Amino acid sequence: MSDQRKKKKLATRELIKLTAKASFSEKGIAATNTRFISKASGLAVGTFFSHFPDKLSLVKELFLRIWIPH
C-alpha cells in the first residue's frame, strides 16, 4: 500500500471517529447508528465497515483513546 493510500485510509478512519463522537455527544450512543455516521461523514456504509466491524468496535476505540494515554 502506498504512503498516499495509507494517509487517505487513516484520514477516513479519523473522519468516522470525529463524526461518531459528535453524534454520540448530541444524540447519544444508542440513538446513533452506523448508517447515520456514514451519511454524516459523506461515506458509503460499506466504507464504515471496512474500518470498523461494528458500532461497538468504534465505541471501544473512542473510549480507549480517551482513557489510555498515548
Side-chain angles (χ1 to χ4, degrees):
M1 186 181 303
S2 71
D3 285 343
Q4 188 172 10
R5 183 159 162 79
K6 286 179 188 176
K7 286 179 185 177
K8 184 176 180 184
K9 188 170 182 165
L10 184 58
T12 300
R13 188 176 181 89
E14 284 301 311
L15 174 62
I16 292 168
K17 290 191 285 189
L18 288 172
T19 303
K21 184 178 174 186
S23 183
F24 293 161
S25 295
E26 183 180 325
K27 297 170 47 172
I29 293 171
T32 301
N33 60 40
T34 56
R35 187 176 307 267
F36 178 85
I37 295 167
S38 300
K39 185 175 181 181
S41 299
L43 303 169
V45 176
T47 303
F48 175 94
F49 290 110
S50 71
H51 290 273
F52 298 95
D54 52 33
K55 184 173 82 171
L56 181 58
S57 298
L58 170 59
V59 171
K60 285 179 183 178
E61 186 165 319
L62 290 172
F63 179 80
L64 291 174
R65 181 184 217 179
I66 293 168
W67 290 101
I68 298 178
H70 298 296

